């Protein structure tokens, strides 16, 4: 049965299609326009009571939150497509560790930057340079730690591409595109090499092709 992915048109939900492509799982998409409050429609709220995207339906199974969905499919199809969790439990532990780092340390400042630089002008708001600088400084501190880590291993969890790396794709692409902040990546030799590696994967290239203009 084909997996239905609701609301994949935005950045965070992109974790789901790129994971499904890596695992070789067929899916179809159902657009949800949050700017038209389609995420607040009663039928959608039955699937996701908090009204956020993405959501998947896999037969009679429903799941929301992009990282949870990616974890689910990485485990469900562990022996199909790319192994995104590692072969040993210690490797899986490191994958989970860096997934938490992405969610708790990396995502907040980069999300703040995206909203201030990309979306505030769309909403008619003037970005505050001071707040942008504060968010950028926070992100730089995280990236400095990444630089140290990636000087010792090719990927975040070790020498294999994993969910930890995959989870960074959708937000980091903004830095490299319309935000004009690519120097945050390029000024760090090992982070830059890591980004070139993970962003050149066919799965991510396919996702960018499927949603042209987002970045």
């Amino acid at each position: 049965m084909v997996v239905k992915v609701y609301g994949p048109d935005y950045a965070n939900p992109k974790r789901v299609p790129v994971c499904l492509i890596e695992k070789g799982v067929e899916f179809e998409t159902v657009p949800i326009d949050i700017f038209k409050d389609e995420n607040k429609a009663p039928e959608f709220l039955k699937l996701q009571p908090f009204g956020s995207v993405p959501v998947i339906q896999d037969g009679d199974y429903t799941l929301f939150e992009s990282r949870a969905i990616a974890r689910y499919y990485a485990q469900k199809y562990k022996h199909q497509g790319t192994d995104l969790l590692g072969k040993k439990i210690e490797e899986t532990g490191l994958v989970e560790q860096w997934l938490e780092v992405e969610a708790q340390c990396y995502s907040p400042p980069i999300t703040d930057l995206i909203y201030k630089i990309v979306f505030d002008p769309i909403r008619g708001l003037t970005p505050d340079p001071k707040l942008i600088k504060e968010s950028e400084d926070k992100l730089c501190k995280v990236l400095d730690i990444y630089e140290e880590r990636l000087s010792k291993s090719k990927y975040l969890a070790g020498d294999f591409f994993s969910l930890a790396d995959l989870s960074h794709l959708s937000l980091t692409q903004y830095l490299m595109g319309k935000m004009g902040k690519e120097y945050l990546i390029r000024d760090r030799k090992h982070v830059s090499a890591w980004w070139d590696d993970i962003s050149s994967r066919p799965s991510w290239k396919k996702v960018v092709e499927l949603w042209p203009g987002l970045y």
Side-chain angles (χ1 to χ4, degrees):
M1 186 172 292
V2 178
V3 176
K4 284 186 178 182
V5 183
Y6 292 80
D9 305 282
Y10 309 97
N12 278 320
K14 294 291 187 297
R15 293 185 183 95
V16 177
V18 71
C19 178
L20 293 172
I21 293 170
E22 287 282 349
K23 301 306 290 185
V25 177
E26 188 178 355
F27 66 94
E28 62 183 32
T29 61
V30 181
I32 301 293
D33 192 335
I34 60 177
F35 294 103
K36 294 181 179 178
D37 290 337
E38 291 178 359
N39 56 313
K40 298 178 182 179
E43 287 303 310
F44 184 76
L45 291 174
K46 291 178 182 178
L47 300 175
Q48 217 298 18
F50 298 100
S52 61
V53 292
V55 180
I56 62 99
Q57 282 189 308
D58 191 341
D60 59 0
Y61 184 66
T62 301
L63 189 65
F64 54 81
E65 293 296 335
S66 62
R67 295 177 187 87
I69 296 168
R71 282 180 168 104
Y72 168 71
Y73 283 110
Q75 185 62 51
K76 181 176 181 178
Y77 297 103
K78 181 170 174 57
H79 302 294
Q80 174 179 314
T82 306
D83 184 352
L84 297 170
L85 296 174
K87 293 180 172 58
K88 301 177 181 178
I89 191 170
E90 291 82 6
E91 292 176 338
T92 303
L94 287 172
V95 173
E96 291 292 344
Q97 170 185 277
W98 285 98
L99 272 170
E100 286 299 313
V101 170
E102 184 273 324
Q104 305 299 327
C105 302
Y106 185 83
S107 183
I110 194 172
T111 299
D112 282 346
L113 279 174
I114 292 169
Y115 274 100
K116 290 179 175 71
I117 296 173
V118 179
F119 293 110
D120 276 1
I122 294 175
R123 297 162 58 201
L125 302 175
T126 301
D128 186 329
K130 181 181 178 181
L131 294 178
I132 289 174
K133 180 68 164 54
E134 288 176 358
S135 296
E136 187 171 320
D137 287 346
K138 290 177 183 178
L139 182 59
C140 282
K141 290 179 180 178
V142 177
L143 286 171
D144 286 343
I145 294 172
Y146 278 40
E147 179 68 8
E148 173 66 18
R149 170 60 179 170
L150 292 166
S151 71
K152 299 175 181 177
S153 63
K154 186 175 182 180
Y155 300 102
L156 289 172
D159 291 326
F160 62 100
F161 177 77
S162 75
L163 273 188
D165 307 292
L166 179 152
S167 195
H168 288 77
L169 285 164
S170 59
L171 295 181
T172 308
Q173 189 71 53
Y174 270 109
L175 289 181
M176 310 305 291
K178 62 177 61 176
M179 286 176 64
K181 296 285 184 180
E182 65 274 6
Y183 61 86
L184 296 176
I185 301 297
R186 296 305 180 200
D187 286 352
R188 295 165 173 83
K189 175 183 176 181
H190 297 98
V191 172
S192 182
W194 166 74
W195 171 254
D196 286 343
D197 185 311
I198 66 173
S199 64
S200 66
R201 294 184 70 85
S203 59
W204 182 242
K205 287 185 175 181
K206 180 65 174 177
V207 167
V208 173
E209 288 173 4
L210 287 171
W211 283 275
L214 177 63
Y215 298 108

